[in-house]
Structure formats: C-alpha cells, structure tokens
Amino acid sequence: MTEHDRVHWDEKYSGEGFAPHRAPDPPTVFAAYEHLFPKSGHGIDLACGRGTAAVWLAARGLTVHGVDVSPVAVRFARDLAERSGVGERCRFDVSDLDVGLPDGAPADVIVCHLFRDARLDKAVIERLAPGGLLAIAVLSEVDHGPGPFRVTRGELRAAFSALTPIAEGEAGGRAWLLAKA
C-alpha cells in the first residue's frame, strides 16, 4: 500500500474518532448468520478498521488477530477491545496486506468486511482451518456500475470456489459470501 493510501485511511479514522462504547455487533450483512460463526478458536479480521468485527468475535470466545494499514485504526481497535473487556483475546497490528497475509496459525474464521485484494484469495483459502468460515463483504458493480474496488457479478463465488458456499448475496452495490473450508 502506498504512503498516500496509509495517510488517507489515517485521516478517515481520525475524523471518525473512537468507536462508541457498546457491545460490538457483527457486520450488518452477516447479522442474520451470527449463529454460523464459531464461539471458540482463532479468528482473523483483515483490514479491521476500528476493530468492531474483531471485538465481536472475541466477545464470542475467539482469540482474534486484526490487521489494518492504518496505525490510527489499530489504536482505536485496541482501545475498543480494552473497553469491551476482551483486550486479552485481541491482537491488533499495523500490516500492509499488499505484501501478503501476516504469519500465523490456521483460522477458524476470517472476516474481510469491505476489503478484498484478489491477490490474497488463495492465501485466505489456504489459511482457513478445516471447516473454517470465510465471511467476506465487498463493494460490487451489481445495482451500482463499475468502479474501483468493485467486484463483478459472481466474482466472489468464483474466486472462492474451493470453499463450500453457505450463503451469499449481491445487491445495492455490495456482494458478500459466507463459505466453509
């Protein structure tokens, strides 16, 4: 990721400030499928932002590694984890995903909310533990039109065809997929 990108995300998160203190919820797109997410094991939150998904997973009982390119976002995520009482189950690191996934153990769940780098698809699949869950939601051309970072119709399912799809959707400029290894 370029320095320009890092500065952009730092400015975005600085403008938003700390996450409100409330029990974190799953990303809205996955709320109806909350029961499918594990309650133990290891999770990874890629491009974790302010850490709400990671803290939600930790509150469920997982140990979670969240990574983001923005040091500001990582600071906010650490704060949210501490305020939510799950700081000991969360680790947040500044990481440039352009160079690949951070090292670590196989994951029982990987969350990618509004982030996808197609160069990481194979590594994400390989990083899932047997039976592990991928929860990915991205911007889409469906009902929106082409644009940077937008997937085409069916692109997520095709990219993660090595996994077993559980649920998926494409509408309103968003695409999402829940799939098991």
Side-chain angles (χ1 to χ4, degrees), residues 1 3 6 27 42 50 77-79 90-91 93 110 124-125 162 173 175 181:
M1 181 145 304
E3 184 62 23
R6 184 182 320 273
H42 174 66
R50 296 187 306 168
R78 288 175 181 151
D79 175 75
C90 291
R91 177 178 139 207
D93 292 312
I110 297 177
V124 166
I125 292 167

Side-chain angles (χ1 to χ4, degrees), residues 1-10 13 45-49 66-74 93-98 115:
M1 181 145 304
T2 67
E3 184 62 23
H4 171 72
D5 292 330
R6 184 182 320 273
V7 168
H8 164 79
W9 288 109
D10 278 348
Y13 289 116
D45 187 359
L46 298 176
C48 66
V67 296
D68 199 283
V69 70
S70 168
V72 172
V74 166
D93 292 312
V94 175
S95 181
D96 183 352
L97 293 170
D98 280 354
F115 169 80

Side-chain angles (χ1 to χ4, degrees), residues 137-162:
V138 297
L139 298 175
S140 170
E141 294 181 0
V142 176
D143 299 332
H144 187 277
F149 311 110
R150 293 192 179 272
V151 297
T152 58
R153 183 178 301 278
E155 184 176 331
L156 283 184
R157 180 176 268 224
F160 296 101
S161 63

Side-chain angles (χ1 to χ4, degrees), residues 29-113:
V29 68
F30 302 125
Y33 303 95
E34 183 174 351
H35 63 284
L36 298 175
F37 284 77
K39 292 185 178 181
S40 64
H42 174 66
I44 301 171
D45 187 359
L46 298 176
C48 66
R50 296 187 306 168
T52 55
V55 169
W56 171 71
L57 290 170
R60 290 179 65 80
L62 283 89
T63 58
V64 185
H65 185 192
V67 296
D68 199 283
V69 70
S70 168
V72 172
V74 166
R75 181 169 41 93
F76 288 169
R78 288 175 181 151
D79 175 75
L80 179 62
E82 288 301 322
R83 286 186 291 133
S84 299
V86 295
E88 74 284 351
R89 288 199 300 274
C90 291
R91 177 178 139 207
F92 294 101
D93 292 312
V94 175
S95 181
D96 183 352
L97 293 170
D98 280 354
V99 298
L101 295 181
D103 292 334
D108 298 293
V109 62
I110 297 177
V111 174
C112 307
H113 186 244

